[in-house]
């Protein structure tokens, strides 16, 4: 049994409007950052899980799809690494 | 002049309570994910910037510290990559 650290990135699907991102973009433009575009605001979630690697990976996929994101509107991507161990990337 | 894609990760400092993360953790525990802990919810922001690499890096640091995060309560980390180019990581 090991402890794993997971990072989950949740972003709105490209076809979904992002009013929060638009607002940030407009604010930046007023602050003389007119060369900035395509601002999209998503969520970044860190969590730790304990168990075997196979269990934890299946569980993280489930949690990401059912709790941390809304698959209708959002894309989610995750990374998992054993505490002081190697890293593995999934989507 | 090139176009760069930046990813900014904003997290609450470890000493700051994260009620949103606690709520997610409690919800997961009720859903039979009792082995999950340390949930912290942050922001993940994607943006594109145009200009020279040196300009864009300085600008991104400024934007991250002054607009996208609150340095009193939050830590911010960024990655920048030229569109179809190599990647560079900063903090």
């Amino acid at each position: 049994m090991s402890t794993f650290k997971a990072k989950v990135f949740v972003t709105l699907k490209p076809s979904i409007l992002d009013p929060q991102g638009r607002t940030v973009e407009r604010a930046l433009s007023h602050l003389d950052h007119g060369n900035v575009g395509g601002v999209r605001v998503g969520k970044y979630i860190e969590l730790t899980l304990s168990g075997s690697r196979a269990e934890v990976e299946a569980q993280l996929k489930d949690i990401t799809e059912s709790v941390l994101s809304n698959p209708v509107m959002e894309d989610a991507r995750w990374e998992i690494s054993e505490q002081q161990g190697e890293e593995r990337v999934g989507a």
Side-chain angles (χ1 to χ4, degrees), chain A:
Chain A
M1 182 134 134
S2 312
T3 303
F4 296 86
K5 173 142 195 166
K7 298 174 183 178
V8 179
F9 308 87
V10 180
T11 48
L12 283 169
K13 283 186 193 288
S15 60
I16 307 278
L17 281 178
D18 180 1
Q20 195 182 355
R22 288 287 300 155
T23 303
V24 172
E25 199 171 316
R26 210 148 34 212
L28 289 172
S29 154
H30 289 307
L31 293 167
D32 283 335
H33 295 297
N35 62 329
V36 177
V39 181
R40 307 282 290 175
V41 180
K43 282 178 289 181
Y44 168 63
I45 300 142
E46 292 178 340
L47 56 162
T48 56
L49 304 97
S50 54
S52 72
R53 177 173 281 275
E55 273 168 23
V56 160
E57 284 185 2
Q59 190 184 7
L60 182 59
K61 188 173 186 310
D62 176 37
I63 288 174
T64 299
E65 287 169 5
S66 64
V67 180
L68 301 179
S69 73
N70 171 2
V72 177
M73 296 172 61
E74 294 171 325
D75 290 323
R77 184 167 72 73
W78 51 265
E79 290 174 9
I80 191 167
S81 57
E82 197 163 344
Q83 296 285 50
Q84 283 125 24
E86 94 282 31
E87 194 145 321
R88 196 172 170 287
V89 177

